[in-house]
Amino acid sequence: MAKLTKEQIIETLKEMTLLEINDLVKAIETSFGVSASAPVAAATGPAVAAEAPTSVTISLIDAGAQKVAVIKAYREITGLGLMEAKGAVEKTPAVIKDNIKPEEAEEIKKKFEAAGAKVKIEA
């Protein structure tokens, strides 16, 4: 097996979601019997800890070309009426949901990307 360079690894990480990176870190910790949080806390001080967010906000950045599909997805996720959903989709960026679990945000992201929209997940 060919050895990957640091640059290749970094480029791969840039393409991953926050949840995928979190799973990777856990797998590395298990494989090597180490903890990623101990060195980070020691290097940055005791007040700063590297933890995955417990709640996130997902926002619609761009509706794309298929606005009707995006409006349908927005209505399905938020429970808003047609006019409210249409208004939110046309006035991007718009918060879809806030204070939700990262797993739920990933599922919502998949639905919007399938409809041709661009979304952003923030901690």
Side-chain angles (χ1 to χ4, degrees):
M1 186 168 130
K3 185 176 178 181
L4 296 174
T5 65
K6 289 181 219 174
E7 291 79 19
Q8 290 172 321
I9 294 170
I10 291 170
E11 288 303 314
T12 301
L13 288 173
K14 286 180 181 179
E15 295 174 6
M16 297 174 77
T17 66
L18 186 58
L19 291 175
E20 291 169 333
I21 293 172
N22 189 34
D23 290 342
L24 175 63
V25 169
K26 288 178 183 177
I28 291 170
E29 288 175 338
T30 302
S31 290
F32 294 101
V34 297
S35 175
S37 61
V40 172
T44 59
V48 178
E51 295 182 15
T54 56
S55 67
V56 296
T57 299
I58 184 164
S59 302
L60 177 65
I61 302 303
D62 182 24
Q66 301 176 10
K67 283 189 179 181
V68 173
V70 175
I71 291 169
K72 286 180 181 179
Y74 200 94
R75 287 185 67 198
E76 176 187 337
I77 301 299
T78 62
L80 292 175
L82 178 62
M83 295 308 292
E84 292 88 356
K86 183 177 184 274
V89 168
E90 290 177 349
K91 296 178 185 174
T92 56
V95 173
I96 300 168
K97 277 192 158 186
D98 58 354
N99 295 322
I100 59 173
K101 292 182 180 180
E103 296 83 11
E104 182 182 356
E106 284 297 325
E107 292 299 318
I108 293 171
K109 180 179 179 181
K110 287 177 187 176
K111 288 181 182 181
F112 276 92
E113 287 178 345
K118 292 182 184 175
V119 296
K120 181 165 104 176
I121 300 174
E122 297 177 302

